[in-house]
Amino acid sequence: MALRPQHPAPRPVPELTVRAVVTGMLIGALLTPCNVYSGLKIGWAFNMSIAAGLIGFGLWRALGRRWGLLENNINQTAASSAASIISGGLVAPIPAWQLITGGSLPFPLLAFWVFVVSALGIVVAAGIRNQMLVREQLQFPAGVATAATMRQIHGDGPEAARGLRLLLGGGAVSALLKLVDGATGSLPRLALPAVGAAPPTAANLGFVLDPSLLMVGFGAIVGLRIGLSLLIGAVLAWALLGPLAVAQGWAEAGPADAAAPWFGALVEWLLWPGVTLMVVATLTSLAITLVRIARRRRRGRAATASLPPTLPLPVFVAAFGVCLLLAATAQVMIFGIGAWQAALAVVLSFVLAAVAARVAGETGIAPIGAVGKVTQLSFGAITPGDATANLMAANVTGGAAGQAADLLQDLRTGMIVGASPAFQAVAQVFGVLTGSLVGSLVYLVLIPDPAGMLLTAEWPAPAVATWKAVAEVMAQGPGALPPAAMPAMAVAGVAGLLLALAESFLPARLARMVPSGAAVGLAFVIPAWNALSFFLGAVAAALLRRAAPDWADRYTTVLAAGLVAGESIAGVVMAGMQIAG
C-alpha cells in the first residue's frame, strides 16, 4: 500500500510575540508625548492606531524582517493605548486639582495613579466586549478605519512606503519650524487688520497667524465643520465678548503694549460661557444618543453567534476585584477621599465607561469630558464643598472611559483581521504601563509649575479650565463667578442646547451645516490664533479633497498626523533641554 506523503502541520501565524509588544511599547513611548503636548495646548487628543501601524510596518520592513498583520495589530493596540493615557487625568483633573489645592504628586505616585485608573478601563472593555461588538454589532469607526489601513499596507508595500514617507516628512518639517522658532523666536506672526491702533488691537485679542503647523494638522484631521465652528467661536469670544467684557468692567484689560496678547486676562471671564457651552452641548448630544440607542435596542436586533470572551470569567472577576481595590485604595491613600465615596466612584466608573464606550461605538467619539462632568455633578451633591473628591472621582471615570473606548476600537480592528481578543487585552496592559510612565514624566517635564504655566497663552489647557471651573462652582457656589458670568453662562447654555438639538434632529444635509457647540465653546478657552490655524488646516484639507479626492482619502490624515507628531515631539524635547539647561 502506497504511503501518502505526510505534510507538516501549518505553522501558527505569529501574533502575541515579544517583538510585537516591545515595538508597540517603543512606538507608544514616542507617540504619548504628542497627545500630552496637544492635550495641554488644545484639550484634544487623537487616536494613534494608524500612525503606529504605519511606523511598525515601516520599521520591520526596513530591517528586512517579516512583519505580519496580526503582530502589527498587537503593536498598534499597545501603542494606541499608551498614547491614549492622557484620559487618565494628565491634561485635565490632575492639573485642575493642582491649581485648586496647590498639591503635587511625585513621579512614582502620579504614574501609579494614572496606571490604576486606566487599567480599570481595560477590565470594563473586557467585560462589555461581547455585548458591544457581537450582540449590538456597533461599528466603532476608528477601529474599522484602522483595520482597513492595516489590510491595505500589508497587501501593498508601495502604498505603505508612501504613507510612511509622508508621515515622516510632515513630522520633520513641523519639528524643524518648532525648533527654529523656539531657538530664535524669529518666525513671523502676522496680525490681522484691526479697526484703529489703540488697544485692544488684533494682536491683543490673538488674531495673528501663528507659524505652528500643529494646529494646521489638527484642522486637517477634524474637518471643515469643526474648523468653521472654531472660527465662529473665536470671533464671538475674542472679537466681540472679550472687548465688551473689558469695556463693561467685567474683565481686566491686558498690557498696554499693542502687540502683547490679552489671553490670560480675558480667559478668566470667557472660560465661563465657553465651558457652559461645551458641557451643555456635549451632555445634550450624549443624552439624545443614549435615547436613540435605547429605542433601537427595544426594537430588537437579530441575534448573532457568540465569540469567545475577551477574558475567562474567573480572570475577569479577579481583575475587576483587584482594580476596584487598587483604585479605591489609591483615592483614599493619595487624596484622602472617604472609603465609601472611593468605592462608589469605581462602581460609577464601570457604568459610565460602558456608556462612553457605547457612544464611541455609534459615533466614533468617546465623550470622556461629558461622563467626567456627570461624575463631578454627582459628587458635587454627594460631597459638597470637596473639590478634591469632585475632581479625582471624576478622574477615575474619565480614565476608565478613555481606555475602555480605546480597547474596544482596537478589538473591533481585531475582529476584522482575525486577532485574539485576549492577546489584545494583554497588549493593552503593556501599553497602559508604558503610557503611564512616559506620560507622567512628560507632564512633569513640560509643566514643572502648574500655577504659573497653565491657563496662559503658551499652555491654554482648556480641559483643565473646564474641570477646574466645574469643581470650583460645585465647591464654592455661584459666588465664585466673576461679574456678569452668570447671565453669560445662561445664554451659552441655551445656545449649546439649541445647537445640539439642531444637529440631532435636522435633516442630515442641514445638520452638517450646524456649528458644533463643543467646538464653538472650545474657541472661548484657547487663543484665537489656534482657532485660525485650525480653520486654515481644515480649508486646506477640504480643497485637497476636492482637487485630488483619491490621494486625499489615502494620505491627508497621515500627513496631518506627521505635522502633529513632529511639533509635539520637538516641543517636548525643547522643554526637556530648558530644564536640563
Side-chain angles (χ1 to χ4, degrees):
M1 184 177 65
L3 295 176
R4 293 182 178 180
Q6 296 295 312
H7 298 288
R11 297 176 61 185
V13 178
E15 185 171 358
L16 185 65
T17 62
V18 172
R19 70 169 186 170
V21 173
V22 171
T23 301
M25 294 174 71
L26 292 175
I27 294 175
L30 178 70
L31 296 177
T32 297
C34 303
N35 271 346
V36 174
Y37 186 91
S38 61
L40 292 169
K41 283 284 188 180
I42 61 169
W44 287 0
F46 290 87
N47 186 291
M48 294 292 189
S49 295
I50 292 176
L54 277 171
I55 294 171
F57 180 89
L59 171 67
W60 285 101
R61 286 298 172 92
L63 294 174
R65 303 292 297 275
R66 183 176 178 81
W67 180 246
L69 174 60
L70 295 182
E71 278 188 295
N72 204 8
N73 183 58
I74 292 294
N75 155 59
Q76 69 84 15
T77 298
S80 69
S81 65
S84 298
I85 204 66
I86 67 166
S87 65
L90 290 173
V91 301
I94 290 171
W97 172 77
Q98 291 178 306
L99 292 177
I100 291 175
T101 67
S104 63
L105 292 176
F107 171 72
L109 273 183
L110 179 60
F112 174 74
W113 170 256
V114 173
F115 175 80
V116 167
V117 299
S118 300
L120 180 61
I122 299 176
V123 178
V124 172
I128 63 178
R129 180 253 183 190
N130 276 359
Q131 177 65 29
M132 298 285 180
L133 296 181
V134 182
R135 299 184 185 93
E136 299 285 340
Q137 296 186 0
L138 299 181
Q139 281 300 301
F140 287 93
V144 174
T146 301
T149 302
M150 299 268 282
R151 281 178 160 178
Q152 183 182 57
I153 63 176
H154 281 270
D156 182 7
E159 183 86 4
R162 285 191 292 270
L164 186 61
R165 284 196 297 270
L166 280 171
L167 183 77
L168 296 177
V173 172
S174 181
L176 181 62
L177 280 177
K178 178 65 176 176
L179 292 171
V180 170
D181 188 47
T184 67
S186 60
L187 296 183
R189 288 163 174 78
L190 304 176
L192 300 183
V195 179
T201 64
N204 291 148
L205 300 174
F207 287 96
V208 298
L209 297 179
D210 187 58
S212 165
L213 291 180
L214 176 83
M215 304 301 168
V216 174
F218 280 141
I221 291 172
V222 300
L224 191 57
R225 175 173 174 262
I226 300 300
L228 279 168
S229 300
L230 284 163
L231 181 64
I232 291 169
V235 172
L236 285 174
W238 301 99
L240 299 177
L241 287 179
L244 176 64
V246 172
Q248 296 295 326
W250 305 334
E252 297 290 332
D257 183 354
W262 287 13
F263 177 83
L266 295 183
V267 78
E268 292 184 7
W269 190 87
L270 288 172
L271 72 87
W272 295 102
V275 166
T276 304
L277 183 55
M278 282 190 285
V279 170
V280 171
T282 303
L283 290 180
T284 303
S285 296
L286 174 61
I288 293 170
T289 301
L290 292 177
V291 169
R292 287 175 170 172
I293 290 170
R295 287 177 177 173
R296 282 197 290 270
R297 293 189 69 189
R298 281 199 298 268
R299 287 197 295 265
R301 202 176 260 188
T304 56
S306 177
L307 293 177
T310 307
L311 297 174
L313 182 60
V315 175
F316 169 76
V317 171
F320 181 71
V322 169
C323 285
L324 189 151
L325 181 62
L326 286 176
T329 302
Q331 292 176 78
V332 173
M333 300 300 294
I334 298 174
F335 299 106
I337 298 172
W340 76 269
Q341 292 99 327
L344 177 62
V346 177
V347 174
L348 186 61
S349 296
F350 193 102
V351 176
L352 291 179
V355 170
R358 183 180 296 280
V359 175
E362 293 269 349
T363 68
I365 300 171
I368 297 169
V371 297
K373 300 304 169 292
V374 171
T375 308
Q376 283 192 275
L377 295 173
S378 301
F379 272 76
I382 295 169
T383 58
D386 189 346
T388 296
N390 185 283
L391 285 167
M392 305 325 293
N395 188 167
V396 177
T397 302
Q403 284 297 334
D406 180 79
L407 179 53
L408 284 165
Q409 298 281 10
D410 292 333
L411 290 172
R412 180 74 175 109
T413 301
M415 281 185 67
I416 295 172
V417 303
S420 162
F423 287 172
Q424 286 188 272
V426 172
Q428 186 97 353
V429 172
F430 282 100
V432 164
L433 176 62
T434 302
S436 300
L437 295 171
V438 175
S440 299
L441 180 62
V442 168
Y443 171 74
L444 294 174
V445 168
L446 288 177
I447 312 293
D449 177 21
M453 298 176 69
L454 293 175
L455 309 186
T456 63
E458 176 65 21
W459 297 105
V464 177
T466 303
W467 287 63
K468 176 175 177 285
V470 174
E472 285 177 334
V473 171
M474 291 291 103
Q476 302 173 26
L481 299 173
M486 185 65 77
M489 292 168 67
V491 173
V494 172
L497 177 66
L498 293 176
L499 287 173
L501 292 174
E503 183 181 349
S504 299
F505 293 110
L506 285 176
R509 61 184 181 83
L510 296 178
R512 286 194 294 268
M513 295 185 284
V514 176
S516 162
V520 173
L522 175 65
F524 280 59
V525 292
I526 63 175
W529 60 77
N530 285 348
L532 289 175
S533 296
F534 258 94
F535 173 69
L536 292 176
V539 169
L543 293 175
L544 184 59
R545 286 190 175 92
R546 182 175 293 271
D550 291 340
W551 191 96
D553 287 343
R554 288 187 176 92
Y555 300 119
T556 297
T557 300
V558 172
L559 177 59
L563 298 180
V564 171
E567 181 171 330
S568 301
I569 294 171
V572 173
V573 170
M574 288 170 56
M577 292 173 64
Q578 288 172 358
I579 292 175

